[in-house]
Every structure is written in C-alpha cells, then in structure tokens.
C-alpha cells in the first residue's frame, strides 16, 4: 500500500508570506540499521515540543513503525512492557513528565469507534499522541504535527521522509 504525503493546506496571507522565508517542511533520512532508528528516536525524544505533539507513522507492514515507537517511548523514559496497540487500538503510557497515547488504526473500521472510545477527549488533552496507520482515521484526527513515512529498502535499511505541516512540526523538524 502506498500512502500519500500528509500535508496541510496552503494558505497565503499577503505580506506575511513575503516577510519571512518558508520554514523547512520536509526532510529525508536513511536509517541503515535499527541503531539508526534508535538514534533518531533519541534525538526526537530530546525535543521539548514533542510533549504535546501529534506524530503519525506511515509505511507498509514491517516497515518499522512500531520499532520506532518502542525506541521513542524508551528514550522518553517509559518503563515496563511496550506492546503494539494493534488489537486494542490505543495503549496509554506515562513518561516522567507527560502522558503518551500510542494508536494503531490498522483495524479501525467504523468512525463511531472514535466517539465510543473517547479518542476526541484524548486528543483534546495535553500529551504526546503517536498514530500508526492514521489514514484509517484521517477524517477524525487533527492535522499531524509531524508525519513520518518509513519505507523498507531491505531487512535493515529504511528510507524515511518527515513532513511538518504545523509550526510545532516545523520546530521539531528543524531540531533534528
């Protein structure tokens, strides 16, 4: 399955657009090993703005989305077992100074599940939200601050593209 880039609307605002050069909104990386994935997760975890960001993860089955989340949660100080929320849809976690919700919308079928599960309330509260397979709930989720697209080239190498359609996302991207 190929996923289209997750980007925000283009809005012009007259003189404001001409006054400041556009911030970088896309970056590309190559991870040659799981150690590269872990190192990226460490750099991302070090960003204070991540504590209230919405990060989406895109890629085929086996691309490394859950592996990245596990490294990110460990880098943020999450203790204990970190399991994939494939069947539960969401797994809550606690970092030392904020809450984290890891979503996996792969099996998401019905928009009513969103309301029934209280996801609107989760997204309305502070904390990091990370979502795998966000396209399955795209009409219901807010715009991602950072969209991470992972493509497996072979058993170890990954081509990674980051899109940052929000101010928070652009700040995170610039810090990486």
């Amino acid at each position: 399955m190929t996923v289209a880039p997750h980007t925000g609307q283009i809005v012009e605002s007259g003189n404001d657009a001409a006054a400041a050069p556009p911030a970088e909104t896309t970056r590309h990386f190559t991870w040659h090993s799981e150690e590269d994935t872990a190192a990226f997760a460490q750099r991302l975890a070090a960003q204070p703005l991540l504590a209230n960001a919405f990060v989406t993860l895109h890629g085929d089955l086996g691309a490394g989305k859950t592996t990245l989340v596990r490294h990110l949660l460990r880098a943020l100080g999450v203790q204990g077992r970190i399991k994939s929320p494939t069947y539960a849809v969401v797994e809550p976690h606690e970092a030392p100074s904020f809450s984290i919700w890891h979503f996996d919308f792969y099996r998401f079928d019905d928009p009513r599940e969103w309301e029934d599960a209280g996801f609107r309330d989760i997204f309305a509260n502070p904390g990091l939200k990370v979502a795998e397979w966000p396209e399955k709930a795209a009409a219901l989720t807010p715009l991602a601050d950072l969209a991470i697209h992972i493509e497996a080239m072979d058993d170890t190498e990954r081509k990674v593209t980051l899109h940052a359609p929000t101010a928070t996302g652009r700040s995170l991207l610039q810090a990486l």
Side-chain angles (χ1 to χ4, degrees):
M1 172 195 296
T2 302
V3 178
H6 189 88
T7 57
Q9 291 181 311
I10 298 172
V11 178
E12 287 190 47
S13 58
N15 293 336
D16 291 341
E24 183 178 21
T25 60
T26 303
R27 289 201 47 201
H28 302 276
F29 297 92
T30 300
W31 298 338
H32 298 283
S33 64
E34 189 169 337
E35 289 77 22
D36 288 349
T37 304
F40 174 84
Q42 285 284 342
R43 289 192 310 275
L44 185 57
Q47 307 310 313
L49 288 176
L50 190 65
N52 285 304
F54 176 36
V55 177
T56 58
L57 301 171
H58 307 262
D60 291 336
L61 287 171
K65 298 178 297 293
T66 302
T67 298
L68 173 59
V69 173
R70 284 190 178 116
H71 285 295
L72 180 61
L73 294 178
R74 289 287 180 230
L76 290 168
V78 173
Q79 301 295 311
R81 184 169 180 239
I82 298 173
K83 59 183 179 175
S84 174
T86 299
Y87 293 99
V89 182
V90 64
E91 288 289 337
H93 300 278
E94 288 297 322
S97 58
F98 58 92
S99 297
I100 303 165
W101 290 269
H102 176 197
F103 295 89
D104 185 331
F105 292 120
Y106 183 74
R107 298 188 187 286
F108 197 80
D109 292 321
D110 187 340
R112 290 176 292 193
E113 291 177 70
W114 178 269
E115 290 297 331
D116 293 345
F119 295 157
R120 184 179 310 278
D121 294 336
I122 292 172
F123 276 89
N125 286 306
L128 171 62
K129 289 84 175 176
V130 180
E132 298 183 48
W133 300 99
E135 60 276 6
K136 298 264 191 165
L140 302 169
T141 63
L143 181 63
D145 295 303
L146 192 62
I148 302 174
H149 299 261
I150 305 171
E151 181 182 0
M153 305 311 289
D154 58 32
D155 287 345
T156 58
E157 185 175 271
R158 302 293 185 260
K159 296 288 183 193
V160 182
T161 303
L162 278 62
H163 297 282
T166 69
T168 295
R170 288 187 293 275
S171 293
L172 289 167
L173 191 65
Q174 289 173 348
L176 295 172

